[in-house]
Amino acid sequence: MTTLGLSALPPAPGERRRVLVVDDEPGVCYMARRVLESRFDVREAGSGEEALRVLEGEAFHLCIVDVRLPGISGLDLLATIKNLSPECDVIIMTGSATDIDEALEGAIRRRAFFFLRKPFPMTILETLAVRVAEKQELEERLARHTRTLERNLESARIFQRSLLPRSPWAGERIRVASHYAPSEQLGGDFYDYWPLPDGGTALLIADVMGHGPLAAMVTGIVKSQLHSLASEIHDPGEILYVLEEELRRIALPAFLSAFLVIDRPEEGEV
């Protein structure tokens, strides 16, 4: 089993990011190792083919690749790395005095992180490697944050669905059914119907202004308050008035539109 084609996982606590230097000049590999090894785990390869063999056994966060390599060219190796491991950043180096524009264009098209022309101070390579690590850390933090948001949003969706009636309701004079088609965003639209303790049926259609978790969560407050109020207050208008006063008290930061119908067959009124 190989790891080629899989992205390197974020380093665990105490681990360092892994860097692969690919150059057929041993002196360049040596100097790159010397300047990077204080911060990174560094491996070396003298050709594109050797680099691919190394990548079969280990995933890297950064590859530093020379354009002119024996066998597979540096630009072809760059394309292979980015296709198989898109999150791996690649810095391209060249010592050629000819076709520099063509090499630069090829590196850009193949999604290189940076392009260096030899000779260059090794401190520049160190700075670039640190910038790559900082960028990757930010991307990993954003990915973790996004996963947390997605889990929270799914919990909110489950909560919102749990507030809706689970089955049609049939009373003495009324039959109620519903269909819920959720949008991609959380919202404050909801409905409810339930039997009243003293007989009859309550039917609610409501909307908390806006979208997002706040609007969705407020629906839970509204539902709980309405069920409680409807068990104590006879008149639906009075129920909504008391509900409004309660929402003002808790400083609800949004408007609520609500339509409440109460059917009382024993009293012959809706």
Side-chain angles (χ1 to χ4, degrees):
M1 180 177 179
T2 68
T3 57
L4 186 61
L6 300 178
S7 299
L9 295 174
E15 291 184 348
R16 303 194 297 180
R17 293 182 187 273
R18 294 181 294 279
V19 177
L20 176 62
V21 182
V22 187
D23 199 308
D24 60 342
E25 297 182 35
V28 172
C29 291
Y30 172 77
M31 292 303 298
R33 173 183 286 276
R34 286 290 304 272
V35 77
L36 296 177
E37 63 184 357
S38 63
R39 294 173 178 261
F40 304 91
D41 288 339
V42 184
R43 294 285 305 277
E44 302 169 15
S47 68
E49 289 82 0
E50 183 182 353
L52 290 177
R53 287 193 295 271
V54 172
L55 288 164
E56 287 179 354
E58 186 176 358
F60 289 83
H61 301 93
L62 171 64
C63 291
I64 302 168
V65 179
D66 187 42
V67 168
R68 293 185 177 275
L69 294 171
I72 300 174
S73 73
L75 293 180
D76 287 341
L77 179 60
L78 162 62
T80 300
I81 293 171
K82 297 301 291 184
N83 285 334
L84 297 176
S85 185
E87 288 79 13
C88 178
D89 287 295
V90 181
I91 295 173
I92 289 293
M93 308 178 292
T94 183
S96 173
T98 60
D99 300 327
I100 186 69
D101 291 337
E102 181 180 344
L104 175 59
E105 180 184 351
I108 293 172
R109 284 192 287 103
R110 291 167 174 82
R111 297 172 290 163
F113 177 81
F114 206 84
F115 185 90
L116 286 172
R117 185 172 180 180
K118 299 176 182 177
F120 53 83
M122 281 293 166
T123 53
I124 292 181
L125 187 61
E126 180 184 19
T127 299
L128 285 173
V130 171
R131 293 294 177 269
V132 166
E134 291 172 347
K135 177 186 76 74
Q136 291 178 353
E137 288 169 4
L138 287 174
E139 291 171 345
E140 291 156 6
R141 195 177 306 158
L142 177 60
R144 290 194 298 269
H145 181 63
T146 299
R147 288 193 295 269
T148 300
L149 284 179
E150 289 172 348
R151 288 194 297 269
N152 291 342
L153 285 173
E154 182 57 28
S155 297
R157 291 188 185 100
I158 293 171
F159 169 77
Q160 191 172 38
R161 287 194 295 269
S162 72
L163 297 176
L164 300 176
R166 297 189 178 184
S167 60
W169 164 255
E172 184 177 332
R173 301 190 306 175
I174 189 170
R175 184 175 69 235
V176 183
S178 58
H179 173 69
Y180 174 63
S183 67
E184 293 182 357
Q185 288 184 300
L186 291 173
D189 305 276
F190 73 110
Y191 54 86
D192 198 11
Y193 39 85
W194 67 97
L196 297 170
D198 57 350
T201 304
L203 170 65
L204 171 72
I205 301 173
D207 178 22
V208 178
M209 184 185 72
H211 297 89
L214 175 62
M217 294 304 175
V218 169
T219 62
I221 298 174
V222 172
K223 174 173 178 173
S224 175
Q225 289 291 326
L226 278 171
H227 277 245
S228 176
L229 292 171
S231 67
E232 301 172 359
I233 302 174
H234 191 83
D235 178 71
E238 180 69 13
I239 291 171
L240 292 180
Y241 177 79
V242 175
L243 173 65
E244 180 180 18
E245 291 301 309
E246 178 62 20
L247 296 180
R248 286 181 185 275
R249 186 184 66 81
I250 65 175
L252 175 70
F255 287 103
L256 168 70
S257 302
F259 177 74
L260 177 63
V261 174
I262 293 181
D263 176 44
R264 300 186 184 276
E266 292 186 359
E267 301 178 16
E269 66 177 6
V270 175

Coordinates of all heavy atoms in Angstrom, one line a residue, residues 45-134:
A45 N 15.9 13.8 -2.9 CA 15.8 12.9 -4.0 C 16.6 13.6 -5.2 O 16.6 14.8 -5.3 CB 14.4 12.7 -4.5
G46 N 17.3 12.8 -5.9 CA 18.2 13.3 -7.0 C 17.6 13.3 -8.4 O 18.2 13.7 -9.3
S47 N 16.4 12.8 -8.5 CA 15.7 12.7 -9.8 C 14.2 12.7 -9.6 O 13.7 12.4 -8.5 CB 16.1 11.5 -10.6 OG 15.7 10.3 -10.0
G48 N 13.4 12.9 -10.6 CA 12.0 12.8 -10.5 C 11.5 11.4 -10.2 O 10.6 11.2 -9.4
E49 N 12.2 10.4 -10.8 CA 11.8 9.0 -10.5 C 12.1 8.6 -9.1 O 11.2 8.0 -8.4 CB 12.6 8.1 -11.5 CG 12.2 8.1 -12.9 CD 12.8 9.3 -13.7 OE1 13.5 10.0 -13.1 OE2 12.5 9.4 -14.9
E50 N 13.2 9.1 -8.5 CA 13.5 8.8 -7.1 C 12.5 9.5 -6.3 O 12.0 9.0 -5.2 CB 14.9 9.3 -6.8 CG 15.3 8.9 -5.4 CD 16.7 9.5 -5.0 OE1 17.4 9.9 -5.9 OE2 17.0 9.4 -3.8
A51 N 12.1 10.7 -6.6 CA 11.1 11.5 -5.8 C 9.8 10.7 -5.8 O 9.1 10.6 -4.7 CB 10.9 12.9 -6.4
L52 N 9.4 10.2 -6.9 CA 8.1 9.4 -7.0 C 8.2 8.2 -6.1 O 7.2 7.8 -5.4 CB 7.7 9.0 -8.4 CG 7.3 10.2 -9.3 CD1 7.1 9.7 -10.7 CD2 6.1 10.9 -8.8
R53 N 9.4 7.5 -6.0 CA 9.5 6.3 -5.2 C 9.4 6.8 -3.7 O 8.8 6.1 -2.9 CB 10.9 5.6 -5.5 CG 10.9 4.9 -6.8 CD 12.1 4.0 -6.9 NE 13.3 4.7 -6.9 CZ 14.0 5.1 -8.0 NH1 13.4 4.9 -9.2 NH2 15.1 5.8 -7.9
V54 N 10.0 7.9 -3.4 CA 9.9 8.4 -2.0 C 8.5 8.7 -1.6 O 8.0 8.4 -0.6 CB 10.8 9.7 -1.8 CG1 10.6 10.3 -0.4 CG2 12.3 9.3 -2.0
L55 N 7.8 9.3 -2.6 CA 6.4 9.7 -2.3 C 5.5 8.5 -2.2 O 4.4 8.6 -1.6 CB 5.9 10.6 -3.5 CG 6.4 12.0 -3.5 CD1 6.2 12.7 -4.9 CD2 5.8 12.9 -2.4
E56 N 5.9 7.4 -2.7 CA 5.1 6.2 -2.6 C 5.1 5.7 -1.1 O 4.2 5.0 -0.7 CB 5.7 5.0 -3.4 CG 5.4 5.2 -4.9 CD 6.0 4.1 -5.8 OE1 6.7 3.3 -5.2 OE2 5.7 4.1 -7.0
G57 N 6.1 6.1 -0.3 CA 6.2 5.6 1.0 C 5.8 6.7 2.1 O 5.7 6.4 3.3
E58 N 5.7 7.9 1.6 CA 5.5 9.0 2.6 C 4.9 10.2 1.9 O 5.2 10.5 0.8 CB 6.9 9.4 3.2 CG 6.8 10.5 4.3 CD 8.1 10.8 4.9 OE1 9.1 10.2 4.5 OE2 8.2 11.6 5.8
A59 N 3.9 10.8 2.6 CA 3.3 12.0 2.1 C 4.0 13.3 2.7 O 4.5 13.3 3.8 CB 1.8 12.1 2.5
F60 N 4.1 14.3 1.8 CA 4.9 15.5 2.2 C 3.9 16.7 2.2 O 3.0 16.8 1.4 CB 6.0 15.7 1.3 CG 7.1 14.7 1.5 CD1 7.1 13.5 0.9 CD2 8.2 15.0 2.3 CE1 8.1 12.5 1.1 CE2 9.2 14.1 2.5 CZ 9.2 12.8 1.9
H61 N 4.3 17.7 3.0 CA 3.6 19.0 3.1 C 4.1 20.0 2.0 O 3.4 20.8 1.6 CB 3.6 19.6 4.5 CG 3.1 18.7 5.5 ND1 3.8 17.8 6.3 CD2 1.8 18.6 6.0 CE1 3.1 17.2 7.1 NE2 1.8 17.6 7.0
L62 N 5.4 19.8 1.7 CA 6.1 20.8 0.8 C 7.1 20.0 0.0 O 7.9 19.2 0.5 CB 6.8 21.9 1.6 CG 7.7 22.8 0.8 CD1 6.9 23.6 -0.2 CD2 8.4 23.8 1.8
C63 N 7.1 20.3 -1.3 CA 8.2 19.7 -2.2 C 8.9 20.9 -2.8 O 8.3 21.9 -3.3 CB 7.6 18.8 -3.3 SG 6.9 17.3 -2.7
I64 N 10.2 20.8 -2.8 CA 11.1 21.9 -3.5 C 11.8 21.2 -4.7 O 12.6 20.3 -4.5 CB 12.1 22.4 -2.5 CG1 11.4 23.0 -1.3 CG2 13.0 23.4 -3.1 CD1 12.3 23.3 -0.1
V65 N 11.4 21.6 -5.9 CA 11.7 20.8 -7.1 C 12.5 21.7 -8.1 O 12.1 22.8 -8.4 CB 10.4 20.3 -7.7 CG1 10.8 19.5 -9.0 CG2 9.7 19.4 -6.7
D66 N 13.6 21.1 -8.6 CA 14.4 21.8 -9.6 C 13.7 21.5 -11.0 O 13.2 20.4 -11.2 CB 15.8 21.3 -9.6 CG 16.7 22.1 -10.6 OD1 16.5 23.3 -10.7 OD2 17.5 21.4 -11.3
V67 N 13.7 22.5 -11.9 CA 13.1 22.3 -13.2 C 13.8 21.2 -14.0 O 13.2 20.3 -14.6 CB 13.1 23.6 -14.0 CG1 12.7 23.4 -15.4 CG2 12.1 24.6 -13.3
R68 N 15.2 21.3 -14.1 CA 16.0 20.4 -14.9 C 16.4 19.2 -14.1 O 17.3 19.3 -13.2 CB 17.2 21.1 -15.5 CG 16.8 22.2 -16.5 CD 18.0 22.8 -17.1 NE 17.7 23.8 -18.1 CZ 17.4 23.5 -19.4 NH1 17.4 22.3 -19.8 NH2 17.1 24.5 -20.2
L69 N 15.8 18.1 -14.3 CA 16.1 16.8 -13.6 C 16.3 15.8 -14.6 O 15.8 15.8 -15.7 CB 14.9 16.4 -12.7 CG 14.6 17.3 -11.5 CD1 13.3 16.9 -10.9 CD2 15.7 17.3 -10.5
P70 N 17.2 14.8 -14.3 CA 17.3 13.6 -15.2 C 16.0 12.8 -15.3 O 15.4 12.6 -14.2 CB 18.5 12.9 -14.6 CG 18.5 13.3 -13.2 CD 18.1 14.7 -13.1
G71 N 15.6 12.4 -16.4 CA 14.4 11.7 -16.5 C 13.2 12.6 -16.5 O 13.1 13.5 -17.3
I72 N 12.3 12.4 -15.6 CA 11.1 13.2 -15.5 C 11.5 14.6 -15.2 O 12.3 14.9 -14.3 CB 10.2 12.7 -14.3 CG1 9.8 11.2 -14.6 CG2 9.0 13.6 -14.2 CD1 9.0 10.6 -13.5
S73 N 11.0 15.6 -15.9 CA 11.3 17.0 -15.7 C 10.6 17.5 -14.4 O 9.7 16.9 -13.9 CB 10.8 17.9 -16.8 OG 9.4 18.0 -16.8
G74 N 11.2 18.6 -13.8 CA 10.6 19.1 -12.6 C 9.2 19.6 -12.8 O 8.4 19.5 -11.9
L75 N 8.9 20.2 -14.0 CA 7.5 20.6 -14.2 C 6.5 19.5 -14.3 O 5.4 19.5 -13.8 CB 7.4 21.5 -15.5 CG 8.2 22.8 -15.4 CD1 8.1 23.6 -16.7 CD2 7.7 23.7 -14.3
D76 N 7.0 18.4 -14.9 CA 6.1 17.2 -15.0 C 5.9 16.6 -13.6 O 4.8 16.1 -13.2 CB 6.7 16.1 -15.9 CG 6.6 16.5 -17.4 OD1 5.7 17.4 -17.7 OD2 7.3 16.0 -18.2
L77 N 7.0 16.6 -12.8 CA 6.9 16.1 -11.4 C 5.9 17.0 -10.6 O 5.1 16.5 -9.8 CB 8.3 16.1 -10.8 CG 8.3 15.6 -9.3 CD1 7.8 14.2 -9.2 CD2 9.7 15.8 -8.8
L78 N 6.0 18.3 -10.8 CA 5.1 19.3 -10.2 C 3.7 18.9 -10.5 O 2.8 18.8 -9.6 CB 5.4 20.7 -10.6 CG 4.3 21.8 -10.4 CD1 4.0 21.9 -8.9 CD2 4.8 23.1 -11.0
A79 N 3.4 18.7 -11.8 CA 2.0 18.4 -12.2 C 1.5 17.1 -11.5 O 0.4 17.0 -11.1 CB 1.9 18.2 -13.7
T80 N 2.4 16.1 -11.5 CA 2.1 14.8 -10.9 C 1.8 15.0 -9.4 O 0.8 14.4 -8.9 CB 3.2 13.8 -11.0 OG1 3.4 13.6 -12.4 CG2 2.8 12.4 -10.4
I81 N 2.6 15.7 -8.7 CA 2.4 15.9 -7.2 C 1.1 16.6 -7.0 O 0.3 16.2 -6.1 CB 3.6 16.8 -6.7 CG1 4.9 16.0 -6.7 CG2 3.2 17.2 -5.2 CD1 6.1 16.8 -6.3
K82 N 0.8 17.7 -7.8 CA -0.4 18.5 -7.5 C -1.7 17.7 -7.9 O -2.8 17.8 -7.3 CB -0.4 19.8 -8.3 CG 0.7 20.7 -7.9 CD 0.6 21.1 -6.4 CE -0.6 22.0 -6.1 NZ -0.7 22.4 -4.7
N83 N -1.6 16.8 -8.9 CA -2.7 15.9 -9.3 C -3.0 14.9 -8.2 O -4.2 14.6 -7.9 CB -2.5 15.3 -10.6 CG -2.7 16.2 -11.8 OD1 -3.4 17.2 -11.7 ND2 -2.0 15.9 -12.9
L84 N -2.0 14.3 -7.6 CA -2.1 13.2 -6.7 C -2.3 13.7 -5.2 O -2.9 13.1 -4.4 CB -0.9 12.3 -6.8 CG -0.8 11.6 -8.1 CD1 0.5 10.7 -8.1 CD2 -2.0 10.7 -8.4
S85 N -1.7 14.9 -4.9 CA -1.8 15.4 -3.6 C -1.9 16.9 -3.6 O -1.0 17.7 -3.4 CB -0.5 15.1 -2.8 OG -0.6 15.5 -1.5
P86 N -3.2 17.4 -3.9 CA -3.4 18.9 -4.2 C -3.0 19.8 -3.0 O -2.6 20.9 -3.3 CB -4.9 19.0 -4.5 CG -5.3 17.6 -4.9 CD -4.4 16.7 -4.1
E87 N -3.0 19.3 -1.8 CA -2.7 20.1 -0.7 C -1.2 20.3 -0.4 O -0.8 21.1 0.4 CB -3.3 19.6 0.6 CG -4.8 19.8 0.7 CD -5.6 18.7 -0.1 OE1 -4.9 17.7 -0.5 OE2 -6.8 18.9 -0.4
C88 N -0.4 19.5 -1.1 CA 1.1 19.6 -1.0 C 1.5 20.8 -1.8 O 1.2 20.9 -3.0 CB 1.8 18.4 -1.5 SG 3.6 18.4 -1.5
D89 N 2.2 21.8 -1.2 CA 2.7 22.9 -1.9 C 4.0 22.6 -2.5 O 4.8 21.8 -2.0 CB 2.8 24.1 -1.0 CG 1.5 24.7 -0.6 OD1 0.8 25.2 -1.5 OD2 1.1 24.6 0.6
V90 N 4.3 23.3 -3.7 CA 5.6 23.0 -4.4 C 6.2 24.3 -4.8 O 5.6 25.2 -5.3 CB 5.3 22.2 -5.7 CG1 6.6 21.9 -6.4 CG2 4.5 20.9 -5.4
I91 N 7.5 24.4 -4.4 CA 8.4 25.5 -4.8 C 9.3 25.0 -6.0 O 9.9 24.0 -5.8 CB 9.2 26.0 -3.7 CG1 8.3 26.6 -2.5 CG2 10.2 27.0 -4.1 CD1 9.1 26.9 -1.3
I92 N 9.2 25.7 -7.1 CA 10.0 25.4 -8.2 C 11.3 26.2 -8.3 O 11.3 27.4 -8.0 CB 9.2 25.6 -9.5 CG1 8.1 24.5 -9.6 CG2 10.1 25.5 -10.8 CD1 8.7 23.1 -9.8
M93 N 12.5 25.5 -8.6 CA 13.7 26.2 -8.7 C 14.3 26.0 -10.1 O 14.0 25.0 -10.8 CB 14.8 25.6 -7.7 CG 14.4 25.6 -6.3 SD 15.6 24.8 -5.3 CE 15.6 23.1 -5.8
T94 N 15.0 27.0 -10.7 CA 15.7 26.8 -11.9 C 17.0 27.5 -11.9 O 17.1 28.6 -11.4 CB 14.8 27.2 -13.1 OG1 15.5 26.9 -14.3 CG2 14.5 28.7 -13.0
G95 N 18.0 26.9 -12.5 CA 19.3 27.6 -12.7 C 19.6 27.9 -14.2 O 20.6 28.4 -14.5
S96 N 18.6 27.6 -15.0 CA 18.8 27.8 -16.5 C 18.7 29.3 -16.8 O 17.8 30.0 -16.3 CB 17.7 27.1 -17.2 OG 17.8 27.4 -18.6
A97 N 19.6 29.8 -17.7 CA 19.5 31.2 -18.1 C 18.6 31.3 -19.4 O 18.4 32.4 -19.8 CB 20.9 31.7 -18.4
T98 N 18.2 30.2 -19.9 CA 17.4 30.2 -21.1 C 16.0 29.7 -20.8 O 15.8 28.9 -19.8 CB 18.0 29.3 -22.2 OG1 18.1 27.9 -21.8 CG2 19.4 29.8 -22.6
D99 N 15.0 30.1 -21.6 CA 13.6 29.6 -21.4 C 13.1 29.9 -20.0 O 12.2 29.1 -19.5 CB 13.5 28.1 -21.8 CG 14.0 27.8 -23.2 OD1 13.8 28.7 -24.0 OD2 14.5 26.7 -23.4
I100 N 13.6 31.0 -19.4 CA 13.1 31.2 -18.0 C 11.6 31.6 -18.0 O 10.9 31.2 -17.1 CB 14.0 32.4 -17.4 CG1 13.6 32.6 -15.9 CG2 13.8 33.7 -18.2 CD1 14.0 31.5 -15.0
D101 N 11.2 32.3 -19.0 CA 9.8 32.7 -19.1 C 8.9 31.5 -19.3 O 7.8 31.4 -18.7 CB 9.5 33.7 -20.2 CG 10.1 35.1 -19.9 OD1 10.4 35.3 -18.7 OD2 10.4 35.8 -20.8
E102 N 9.3 30.6 -20.1 CA 8.6 29.4 -20.4 C 8.5 28.5 -19.1 O 7.4 28.0 -18.8 CB 9.2 28.6 -21.5 CG 8.5 27.3 -21.8 CD 9.2 26.5 -23.0 OE1 10.0 27.1 -23.7 OE2 8.8 25.3 -23.1
A103 N 9.6 28.4 -18.4 CA 9.6 27.6 -17.1 C 8.6 28.3 -16.1 O 7.9 27.6 -15.4 CB 11.0 27.5 -16.5
L104 N 8.7 29.6 -16.0 CA 7.8 30.3 -15.1 C 6.4 30.1 -15.4 O 5.5 29.8 -14.5 CB 8.2 31.8 -15.1 CG 7.3 32.7 -14.2 CD1 7.3 32.3 -12.8 CD2 7.7 34.2 -14.4
E105 N 6.0 30.2 -16.7 CA 4.7 30.0 -17.1 C 4.2 28.6 -16.8 O 3.1 28.4 -16.4 CB 4.5 30.3 -18.6 CG 3.1 30.1 -19.2 CD 3.0 30.3 -20.7 OE1 4.0 30.8 -21.3 OE2 2.0 30.0 -21.2
G106 N 5.1 27.6 -17.1 CA 4.7 26.2 -16.8 C 4.5 26.0 -15.3 O 3.6 25.3 -14.9
A107 N 5.3 26.6 -14.5 CA 5.2 26.5 -13.0 C 3.8 27.1 -12.6 O 3.1 26.5 -11.7 CB 6.3 27.1 -12.3
I108 N 3.5 28.2 -13.1 CA 2.2 28.9 -12.7 C 1.1 28.0 -13.1 O 0.1 27.8 -12.4 CB 2.2 30.3 -13.3 CG1 3.2 31.2 -12.7 CG2 0.8 30.9 -13.1 CD1 3.3 32.5 -13.3
R109 N 1.1 27.6 -14.4 CA 0.0 26.8 -14.9 C -0.2 25.5 -14.1 O -1.3 25.0 -13.9 CB 0.2 26.4 -16.4 CG -0.1 27.6 -17.3 CD -0.2 27.2 -18.7 NE 1.1 26.9 -19.3 CZ 1.5 25.7 -19.5 NH1 0.8 24.6 -19.2 NH2 2.7 25.5 -20.0
R110 N 0.9 25.0 -13.5 CA 0.8 23.7 -12.8 C 0.6 24.0 -11.3 O 0.8 23.1 -10.5 CB 2.1 22.9 -13.1 CG 2.1 22.3 -14.5 CD 3.5 21.8 -14.8 NE 3.6 21.1 -16.1 CZ 3.8 21.7 -17.3 NH1 3.9 23.1 -17.3 NH2 3.8 21.1 -18.4
R111 N 0.3 25.2 -10.9 CA -0.1 25.5 -9.5 C 1.1 25.5 -8.5 O 1.0 25.0 -7.4 CB -1.2 24.7 -9.0 CG -2.5 24.9 -9.8 CD -3.5 23.8 -9.4 NE -3.2 22.5 -9.8 CZ -3.7 21.4 -9.3 NH1 -4.6 21.5 -8.4 NH2 -3.3 20.2 -9.8
A112 N 2.3 25.9 -9.0 CA 3.4 26.0 -8.0 C 3.1 27.1 -7.0 O 2.5 28.1 -7.3 CB 4.7 26.3 -8.8
F113 N 3.7 27.0 -5.8 CA 3.5 28.0 -4.8 C 4.4 29.2 -5.1 O 4.0 30.3 -4.9 CB 3.8 27.4 -3.4 CG 3.7 28.4 -2.3 CD1 2.5 28.8 -1.7 CD2 4.9 29.0 -1.8 CE1 2.4 29.7 -0.7 CE2 4.8 29.9 -0.8 CZ 3.6 30.3 -0.2
F114 N 5.6 28.9 -5.5 CA 6.6 30.0 -5.8 C 7.6 29.5 -6.8 O 7.8 28.3 -7.0 CB 7.3 30.4 -4.5 CG 7.8 31.8 -4.5 CD1 7.0 32.9 -4.2 CD2 9.1 32.1 -4.8 CE1 7.4 34.2 -4.2 CE2 9.6 33.4 -4.8 CZ 8.7 34.4 -4.5
F115 N 8.3 30.4 -7.4 CA 9.3 30.1 -8.4 C 10.6 30.9 -8.1 O 10.6 32.1 -7.9 CB 8.8 30.6 -9.8 CG 9.7 30.2 -11.0 CD1 9.5 29.0 -11.6 CD2 10.7 31.1 -11.4 CE1 10.3 28.7 -12.7 CE2 11.5 30.8 -12.5 CZ 11.3 29.6 -13.1
L116 N 11.7 30.1 -7.9 CA 13.0 30.7 -7.6 C 14.0 30.5 -8.7 O 14.0 29.4 -9.3 CB 13.5 30.0 -6.3 CG 12.8 30.4 -5.0 CD1 13.4 29.5 -3.8 CD2 13.0 31.9 -4.6
R117 N 14.7 31.5 -8.9 CA 15.8 31.4 -9.9 C 17.1 31.3 -9.2 O 17.5 32.2 -8.4 CB 15.8 32.6 -10.9 CG 16.8 32.5 -12.0 CD 16.6 33.6 -13.0 NE 17.6 33.5 -14.1 CZ 17.6 34.3 -15.2 NH1 16.8 35.3 -15.2 NH2 18.5 34.1 -16.1
K118 N 17.9 30.3 -9.5 CA 19.2 30.1 -8.9 C 20.2 31.1 -9.5 O 20.1 31.4 -10.7 CB 19.7 28.7 -9.1 CG 18.9 27.6 -8.5 CD 19.5 26.3 -8.9 CE 18.6 25.1 -8.4 NZ 19.2 23.8 -8.8
P119 N 21.2 31.5 -8.8 CA 21.4 31.2 -7.3 C 20.5 32.2 -6.5 O 20.2 33.3 -6.9 CB 22.9 31.5 -7.1 CG 23.2 32.6 -8.1 CD 22.3 32.3 -9.3
F120 N 20.2 31.7 -5.3 CA 19.4 32.6 -4.4 C 19.9 32.3 -3.0 O 20.3 31.2 -2.7 CB 17.9 32.3 -4.5 CG 17.5 30.8 -4.4 CD1 17.4 30.2 -3.1 CD2 17.4 30.0 -5.5 CE1 17.1 28.9 -3.0 CE2 17.1 28.7 -5.4 CZ 16.9 28.1 -4.1
P121 N 19.8 33.2 -2.1 CA 20.2 33.0 -0.7 C 19.3 31.9 -0.1 O 18.0 32.0 -0.3 CB 19.9 34.4 0.0 CG 19.9 35.3 -1.1 CD 19.4 34.6 -2.3
M122 N 19.8 31.0 0.6 CA 19.1 29.9 1.2 C 18.1 30.4 2.3 O 17.1 29.8 2.7 CB 20.0 28.9 1.8 CG 20.5 27.9 0.8 SD 19.2 26.9 0.1 CE 20.0 26.3 -1.4
T123 N 18.4 31.7 2.8 CA 17.4 32.2 3.8 C 16.1 32.5 3.1 O 15.0 32.5 3.8 CB 18.0 33.5 4.3 OG1 18.4 34.4 3.3 CG2 19.2 33.3 5.2
I124 N 16.1 32.8 1.8 CA 14.8 33.0 1.1 C 14.0 31.7 1.1 O 12.8 31.7 1.3 CB 15.1 33.5 -0.4 CG1 15.6 34.9 -0.3 CG2 13.8 33.4 -1.2 CD1 15.9 35.5 -1.7
L125 N 14.7 30.6 0.8 CA 14.0 29.3 0.8 C 13.5 29.0 2.2 O 12.3 28.5 2.3 CB 15.0 28.2 0.4 CG 14.4 26.8 0.2 CD1 13.4 26.8 -0.9 CD2 15.6 25.8 -0.1
E126 N 14.2 29.3 3.2 CA 13.7 29.1 4.6 C 12.5 29.9 4.9 O 11.5 29.4 5.4 CB 14.8 29.5 5.6 CG 14.4 29.3 7.1 CD 15.5 29.7 8.0 OE1 16.3 30.5 7.6 OE2 15.4 29.3 9.2
T127 N 12.5 31.2 4.4 CA 11.3 32.1 4.6 C 10.1 31.5 3.9 O 9.0 31.5 4.4 CB 11.7 33.5 4.1 OG1 12.8 34.0 4.9 CG2 10.5 34.4 4.3
L128 N 10.3 31.1 2.7 CA 9.2 30.5 1.9 C 8.6 29.3 2.5 O 7.4 29.1 2.6 CB 9.7 30.2 0.5 CG 9.9 31.4 -0.5 CD1 10.5 30.9 -1.8 CD2 8.6 32.1 -0.7
A129 N 9.5 28.4 3.0 CA 9.0 27.2 3.7 C 8.2 27.5 4.9 O 7.2 26.9 5.2 CB 10.2 26.3 4.0
V130 N 8.7 28.5 5.7 CA 7.9 29.0 6.9 C 6.5 29.5 6.5 O 5.5 29.3 7.1 CB 8.7 30.0 7.7 CG1 7.9 30.6 8.8 CG2 9.9 29.3 8.3
R131 N 6.5 30.3 5.4 CA 5.3 30.9 4.9 C 4.3 29.8 4.4 O 3.1 29.9 4.7 CB 5.5 31.8 3.7 CG 6.3 33.1 4.1 CD 5.5 34.0 5.0 NE 6.2 35.2 5.4 CZ 7.0 35.2 6.5 NH1 7.0 34.2 7.3 NH2 7.6 36.3 6.9
V132 N 4.8 28.8 3.8 CA 4.0 27.6 3.4 C 3.4 27.0 4.7 O 2.2 26.7 4.7 CB 4.8 26.6 2.6 CG1 4.1 25.3 2.5 CG2 5.1 27.1 1.2
A133 N 4.2 26.8 5.7 CA 3.7 26.1 6.9 C 2.6 27.0 7.5 O 1.6 26.5 8.0 CB 4.9 25.9 7.9
E134 N 2.8 28.3 7.6 CA 1.8 29.2 8.2 C 0.5 29.2 7.4 O -0.6 29.1 7.9 CB 2.4 30.6 8.2 CG 3.5 30.8 9.2 CD 4.1 32.2 9.1 OE1 3.9 32.9 8.1 OE2 4.9 32.6 10.0

